[in-house]
Amino acid sequence: MYDSKAPPNPFSAILAKSQLLAIGDSFEAVAAAGQGGAPLAGGGVFDGASFVAVPAGSGGASSLLNRNRNRNRNRNRNRNRNRNRTTTEAMASVSGDTPDILLPWRELDRLHRLRDFWIDLPLDLPKSPAGLFDETHDLLAKQAALLGPDETMRRAEILREQELELSGYLRPLGVSDTGNAPQTVALFLILARLCEEIGLRYKDRYDTPRPSTVNMRLKCFIPVPIHASCPSNHAFLSYAIAFVFARVAPEHPGIADLFLSARRIAENREWAGLHYAQDTAAGRALARMMTPVFEVVLEDQMLAARGEWV
């Protein structure tokens, strides 16, 4: 709980004047008494406030983005003229080094100040042991198919995606070298750290056994992580990147491909035998629910990344 007598927190101002509303439904923090733009009550981060959906065209940054939409779409179309659109080609490695960023302590501090808004999100509960065993039948079929000649590309992707690898998120946006979009790369890396922090907490809460523990016939294609199964952190991060970038540059022509790539990266963990389909669904749901919080926590970096696309 936050002390209502504490000095005013800068997040109150951030929440009251957010500049990151997307084209399409977004979210704002409003006073609990109404949606008339009243200031946040009290001195705490979210005292007397709640998130509400805000439709496109309701003012603020939505209006600003609408004014620039055609100009930005044309610029991005030219920038991405030679972008490969097929799924497998989009998974090819991006050149350039992935920077080694410092621990994003400011963003982590903001995240934990907003703890009450993400620590107990209404995710579906994992299935019973019998239900988990039933889900492994689909994974056994994927296991057999993965070793066939038609899945050569997927096998390479699974191996590459064991560690944090940004090609699957940058290639759909037309980025062939990490140096061409350093602020976007930094945004994705910070998101990865935040998603790890959040995802591991939910994994610990549900403590779901890995598929290979539930069904010994399942032979995983890569080593099994030591933490619990649900939700899938790969799915959580992949969809979080897609949802957040859709807020950063909603007019970008590569967003549909980014979501397709996020889905493939997430489902590759099922093909590898590491996750049930329920874990993938939970990761996507968690990413969707966390997006309003990420808009607040990452506002500065999202604006910096947007500057690379407009």
Side-chain angles (χ1 to χ4, degrees):
M1 297 293 294
Y2 294 101
D3 184 0
S4 61
K5 298 180 180 179
N9 191 289
F11 281 139
S12 295
I14 292 174
L15 290 167
K17 298 184 292 185
S18 174
Q19 296 297 306
L20 285 166
L21 301 180
I23 301 297
D25 286 347
S26 189
F27 303 86
E28 281 183 337
V30 299
Q35 302 181 19
L40 298 177
V45 176
F46 268 114
D47 291 346
S50 61
F51 279 121
V52 296
V54 179
S58 59
S62 291
S63 299
L64 173 65
L65 294 179
N66 272 318
R67 288 196 299 270
N68 293 317
R69 190 171 189 179
N70 290 334
R71 175 174 61 83
N72 292 334
R73 183 188 294 115
N74 291 335
R75 177 178 291 181
N76 285 325
R77 183 179 294 119
N78 291 333
R79 179 179 291 177
N80 294 284
R81 183 178 298 161
N82 296 320
R83 178 170 54 86
N84 292 326
R85 291 181 176 272
T86 64
T87 301
T88 54
E89 288 176 333
M91 299 302 293
S93 295
V94 168
S95 62
D97 294 330
T98 299
D100 184 13
I101 65 170
L102 297 175
L103 183 71
W105 64 268
R106 290 185 179 86
E107 289 80 7
L108 287 169
D109 184 57
R110 291 180 178 183
L111 180 70
H112 285 287
R113 287 174 183 268
L114 302 181
R115 176 188 176 93
D116 289 347
F117 284 83
W118 60 264
I119 199 65
D120 193 23
L121 294 171
L123 295 179
D124 291 339
L125 293 175
K127 294 182 178 180
S128 66
L132 295 178
F133 185 82
D134 288 341
E135 283 216 14
T136 64
H137 296 321
D138 178 60
L139 301 185
L140 286 170
K142 286 184 169 73
Q143 172 183 279
L146 181 62
L147 301 179
D150 294 337
E151 297 299 341
T152 301
M153 182 66 71
R154 191 184 296 274
R155 292 196 297 270
E157 293 167 9
I158 289 171
L159 292 173
R160 186 168 63 242
E161 294 159 4
Q162 289 184 81
E163 305 297 335
L164 178 60
E165 211 280 332
L166 299 182
S167 296
Y169 313 118
L170 295 173
R171 182 71 69 180
L173 304 179
V175 178
S176 59
D177 189 300
T178 56
N180 293 336
Q183 297 296 345
T184 301
V185 169
L187 173 64
F188 292 174
L189 292 175
I190 295 171
L191 256 177
R193 180 62 183 84
L194 300 184
C195 287
E196 180 183 48
E197 177 86 9
I198 299 161
L200 288 177
R201 290 172 181 268
Y202 278 88
K203 284 176 179 289
D204 186 64
R205 172 181 298 178
Y206 297 133
D207 197 23
T208 308
R210 291 280 179 172
S212 55
T213 301
V214 171
N215 190 335
M216 300 298 290
R217 294 172 55 203
L218 192 62
K219 306 300 180 185
C220 298
F221 187 69
I222 56 177
V224 181
I226 60 173
H227 43 71
S229 191
C230 186
S232 164
N233 261 9
H234 270 68
F236 179 25
L237 173 60
S238 296
Y239 282 110
I241 285 176
F243 281 123
V244 167
F245 189 81
R247 308 288 198 205
V248 169
E251 59 279 90
H252 195 293
I255 287 177
D257 285 345
L258 177 59
F259 272 94
L260 289 174
S261 185
R263 175 179 176 179
R264 180 158 177 114
I265 292 170
E267 291 180 349
N268 278 349
R269 303 292 278 185
E270 298 176 30
W271 283 76
L274 304 182
H275 282 293
Y276 314 93
Q278 69 158 23
D279 301 345
T280 301
R284 187 185 189 283
L286 185 57
R288 178 179 56 80
M289 294 178 194
M290 281 299 305
T291 299
V293 177
F294 286 146
E295 284 194 82
V296 175
V297 172
L298 296 169
E299 181 172 34
D300 295 341
Q301 190 58 45
M302 289 173 73
L303 287 170
R306 178 163 175 76
E308 296 178 334
W309 300 101
V310 298

